[in-house]
Structure formats: C-alpha cells, structure tokens
Amino acid sequence: MKEQLHHQHLRSDAVYPFDARGIAKRFRHAAIFGALDALSAGEAMLFVNDHDPLPLLEQLRTRYGDKVAIAYEVRDPHEIRIRFTVNTAGGDPA
C-alpha cells in the first residue's frame, strides 16, 4: 500500500511569504485567496507587492470579514508588505 503524504504545518504561528510581484496580474487575486484558504488559525502570510492593493484588501474584507487580520508592515509607494493573519477565534478562513 502506498503511503500518502500530507502537508503538515510545523508551527501554528508560522508566517509564509507570498511575493505577488512574480505572479501574472490576472492570476494574483485567485492565488492570494488560495493561499489564505490554505492557512490554519494562527498562521500568517507576509504579502509583498510593488503597489498598494486597495481593491484586493476590500475583497479580502468582504470575503473573510474579521477571520483574517490585515496589518501593513511597510507602506511605501513602491514597496508594500502586509501581514495577513488568520485569527484563532475565527478558525480557518474558508
């Protein structure tokens, strides 16, 4: 019988990088939603981009509400770093 491999998170408070600059614009939002949906409570994604993604942030607030916390770490005109954290009280984002 073939052993099945499962992805296991090493820590519940892990932070995973997500650099949107290397993803084609038409795929970015779907990729970001997929990445957030894969996170467990307490985990975070450090999002990096070359512009402030205000329409995306509004979509995230609509889709996840208070289940995902949004916090800027860097907010410069050509460098954006945002930490998206799945709240432990809200459970998984999806």
Side-chain angles (χ1 to χ4, degrees):
M1 181 156 61
K2 194 175 190 179
E3 181 181 334
Q4 289 188 335
L5 299 177
H6 297 282
H7 174 73
Q8 293 182 352
H9 300 283
L10 300 177
R11 295 177 19 198
S12 64
D13 62 346
V15 177
Y16 299 95
F18 186 100
D19 191 337
R21 298 171 295 185
I23 299 172
K25 288 185 180 185
R26 67 185 199 161
F27 299 122
R28 282 185 189 172
H29 288 206
I32 294 162
F33 295 147
L36 286 172
D37 288 345
L39 296 178
S40 297
E43 292 181 323
M45 179 173 80
L46 184 58
F47 172 84
V48 178
N49 204 9
D50 56 4
H51 67 277
D52 203 349
L54 298 176
L56 170 68
L57 297 181
E58 189 57 38
Q59 288 178 340
L60 293 175
R61 287 183 185 104
T62 299
R63 182 177 175 127
Y64 299 110
D66 61 357
K67 292 180 183 177
V68 174
I70 299 170
Y72 282 90
E73 292 192 355
V74 175
R75 195 172 188 182
D76 292 331
H78 300 290
E79 180 185 6
I80 299 293
R81 294 184 187 273
I82 303 171
R83 182 179 298 252
F84 299 119
T85 305
V86 177
N87 291 318
T88 54
D92 291 339

